[in-house]
Structure formats: C-alpha cells, structure tokens
Amino acid sequence: MLDERKLDVLRAIVEDYVATHEPVGSKTLVDRHNLGVSPATVRNDMAALEEEGYITQPHTSAGRIPTDAGYRLFVDKLSTVKTLSPAEKKAISSFLGGAVDLDDVVRRTVRLLAQITRQVAIVQYPTLTRSSVRHVEVVTMTPRRLLLVLITSTGRVEQRIVEAPDDVDEQLIADLRSRLNTALTGQRLSEAAGALAGLPDTFQPADRALVTAIVTTLLEAFTDEGEQRIAVGGAANLTRYGDDFERNVKPVLEALEEHVILLKLLGEATHPQTLTVRIGHENPYEELATTSVVATGYGSKSEALATLGIVGPTHMDYPSTMGAVRAVARYVSQILADS
C-alpha cells in the first residue's frame, strides 16, 4: 500500500503529464508542487512508484509518465470530479433546452459533449424497450389509409401506415384512439402488449378487422427495435494525440466506425447515478488500448434509458471530463423528463 506522500507524488505526475504531455522529472515536481520534501526523496518515491507499476520511463534519461494502473489509482482514489461553473451550467441548459425533438436532443448533446471535453463524444439513442407510451394517435389520411403514430416517454416518434379493408368510420377511429390512450398511456413498451389483449373483441364484429390491423401494427411498433442507433461527434479532437497517427489515431478512427464496438464500450454504464471509467488496456479492444472511456447512463434516477460518454487519450483531464459527462447526462435526463 502506498503512503500519502507517494500518492501525492503520483497525483502530481498525472496532473503534470496531462497538462504538458511531456515526461515528468523529480526537479519539475519539486518546482511546481509543494510536496514538502527534497528532490532526492521525490526520486526515491518515483522509483517506488515505478517498481509498483504506476509510472514508467518511456526513454532513457527521460522523466516518468503514468501507466494505465497509475491513471486507475488516480481516478479511483486521488481525483475528485470537477464541478462545472454556474456559467457553464447555464450554457449547457440553454443549448440543450432549445432542442425541438429527440433527434435534436441527441445531435446537440454530441456536439456539446465533444466541445466541452475536447474528446470524441458518443450518445446512444433511447431504446424502445426502456420507454413508456406517452400518446397514441390515429389519423385518417384517405378513406382507406390510416397513419398510426406512437410517441414515447423519451420523445421518440414511431409512425406506421395501416391499410383499412373498408372506408373508415371517423367515429370508430375517435373511439379507438380514446381506448388506446386509456389502456396504454404510461405503460412500458415491453409490457404494453398485455394491455391490448382482447381489445378487438370489445368492438362490434364489423369493426374488428380494422381494429385488429391497427393493434397488430401497434404491437409491431412496440417491438421493432431495429439497429440500435448512436451518434458520434468530435473525431477531429483525436489530433490531440500528436503526430503518431498510424499507431494511435488510425486504429481509434477505425474502431469508431464500428457502432457495435461503441455500444459495447458504453455498455457498462447502466445507471444514471454512476460514472464508468475504463482506462487503456481495460478496454476490450486492442485498437483502443491507448484510449480511455468515460460513460454514464441517462434517464430517470432509478434506470437508464440509454448511455452517453466520451473516448479520448489516456492522458485526458479526468476530473474535468468526468464532471462534464455527468453534468450533460443530468441535463439530458431532465430535458427528456420534462418534454
């Protein structure tokens, strides 16, 4: 177990390396940080940290840089999540609050998160299975064609066309619309099918064919998840890696093109109250061994509707990045709850 002085030295090394991207020497630590010990003592502490695997020397006669284990210890024990300033919070609230629908919320969130973290931002769209029904609308388009609209609690809108066997009776459509909303509003989509069981049998025999067609189409909308959607922004921020494109940047760019990989990266962030941080080789893909992922869920206090986060170099500013990811997720959760 490292004593407090060695932990202070590790914290200083991480902070300096994140700020300068240059290996850190003992003299630099003494000059920049009030460690209260001599350079010789700092050198001894650095030797101990290196032996424990928390720092390493990239080149002979160079200073030290943190390892994945060093960053992990920093994140777990040495850092505190940086809170945003009132001005930053107001700017986030204003920018996200101007969104007009779910797609706009996601687009704005990706753009905002990439800008304030200077990393690659990833936002997963809310999945249907975790949503509930907000409203069902049935609109007559032609005498024998209807538009079925499902609006979920996350602002997602699903539209389906229903072909009627005969000319539509507007009174029947009004009655059906009312019954559908009475039965479904507030129901989780994963459980809503049960609320529709037997509904066609409550109508007159002559109307049951149309009601059955509408109910069947609605059930398909409940379960038609399709490909899980994500939005990615800020890839240009990868230029902060420096000049080593082939080894660091190119593999990351290629991995970012695979949405399955991105969904798995965000997959551990299953709760809105918890930040997940995976550092370097903790990531399951070798292409991302030089990156870290900071992610969290967004939604209600008890359950995530989906996830969002960032991918960036391991030498990122963890306290600020973690604070930004957490704050943005909370604002998105609030916007979806109020919409």
Side-chain angles (χ1 to χ4, degrees):
M1 178 67 69
L2 298 178
D3 59 36
E4 288 301 318
R5 191 184 66 221
K6 293 184 179 65
L7 291 175
D8 287 341
V9 171
L10 177 59
R11 180 190 292 108
I13 291 172
V14 172
E15 291 174 351
D16 277 13
Y17 185 64
V18 167
T20 67
H21 301 171
E22 296 291 338
V24 183
S26 57
K27 185 177 185 304
T28 299
L29 291 177
V30 172
D31 291 343
R32 291 180 179 172
H33 301 271
N34 184 24
L35 298 175
V37 294
S38 68
T41 300
V42 172
R43 284 194 294 272
N44 290 335
D45 289 342
M46 292 176 71
L49 289 168
E50 186 169 10
E51 185 176 349
E52 292 287 337
Y54 295 113
I55 60 175
T56 188
Q57 187 176 30
H59 308 290
T60 305
S61 301
R64 304 302 193 271
I65 65 174
T67 63
D68 290 354
Y71 286 123
R72 169 51 61 194
L73 186 59
F74 176 81
V75 168
D76 289 347
K77 292 187 176 181
L78 303 178
S79 66
T80 56
V81 176
K82 182 180 178 182
T83 58
L84 275 64
S85 69
E88 289 172 324
K89 293 178 180 179
K90 184 177 180 180
I92 291 174
S93 178
S94 176
F95 184 70
L96 294 181
V100 297
D101 55 26
L102 178 63
D103 285 331
D104 198 17
V105 169
V106 172
R107 285 193 296 266
R108 286 172 181 251
T109 301
V110 164
R111 179 181 170 188
L112 176 68
L113 198 54
Q115 287 178 342
I116 62 179
T117 65
R118 299 177 64 198
Q119 313 292 356
V120 179
I122 308 169
V123 179
Q124 178 189 17
Y125 279 78
T127 58
L128 278 175
T129 54
R130 295 180 182 178
S131 304
S132 58
V133 177
R134 177 170 291 170
H135 184 71
V136 177
E137 188 59 62
V138 185
V139 181
T140 302
M141 300 177 66
T142 69
R144 294 196 178 190
R145 175 171 290 184
L146 301 169
L147 175 65
L148 181 63
V149 182
L150 168 66
I151 304 174
T152 73
S153 58
T154 59
R156 186 164 174 173
V157 179
E158 295 288 322
Q159 300 183 33
R160 300 288 190 277
I161 297 296
V162 180
E163 301 292 344
D166 299 298
D167 287 357
V168 173
D169 179 354
E170 287 298 330
Q171 185 58 48
L172 169 64
I173 297 304
D175 183 24
L176 177 59
R177 182 189 303 115
S178 175
R179 294 202 212 180
L180 287 173
N181 281 290
T182 298
L184 296 175
T185 299
Q187 290 273 356
R188 291 286 295 269
L189 267 66
S190 57
E191 304 168 353
L196 296 178
L199 181 64
D201 294 337
T202 65
F203 286 82
Q204 294 296 322
D207 300 328
R208 289 174 188 170
L210 175 58
V211 174
T212 298
I214 292 173
V215 168
T216 300
T217 303
L218 190 56
L219 291 174
E220 291 172 355
F222 288 167
T223 58
D224 185 14
E225 193 68 52
E227 181 181 358
Q228 293 190 57
R229 297 171 60 196
I230 61 173
V232 181
N237 288 323
L238 291 174
T239 57
R240 299 173 62 206
Y241 271 105
D243 298 328
D244 194 359
F245 180 84
E246 288 294 327
R247 185 173 72 87
N248 287 333
V249 182
K250 185 178 179 181
V252 175
L253 285 173
E254 292 173 347
L256 291 175
E257 293 179 355
E258 299 292 334
H259 284 193
V260 172
I261 291 179
L262 299 183
L263 287 168
K264 288 183 178 179
L265 286 177
L266 297 179
E268 288 187 355
T270 56
H271 199 282
Q273 304 299 313
T274 304
L275 279 170
T276 298
V277 181
R278 286 197 288 192
I279 299 170
H281 287 88
E282 294 173 359
N283 288 312
Y285 301 98
E286 185 60 31
E287 304 95 321
L288 299 174
T290 61
T291 69
S292 289
V293 178
V294 179
T296 190
Y298 66 89
S300 67
K301 291 183 178 180
S302 60
E303 182 182 26
L305 294 171
T307 54
L308 60 81
I310 63 90
V311 177
T314 53
H315 55 263
M316 69 172 63
D317 180 350
Y318 288 96
S320 294
T321 300
M322 293 163 66
V325 169
R326 183 176 66 179
V328 170
R330 287 177 175 175
Y331 278 104
V332 173
S333 299
Q334 186 62 50
I335 288 169
L336 293 180
D338 294 341
S339 61

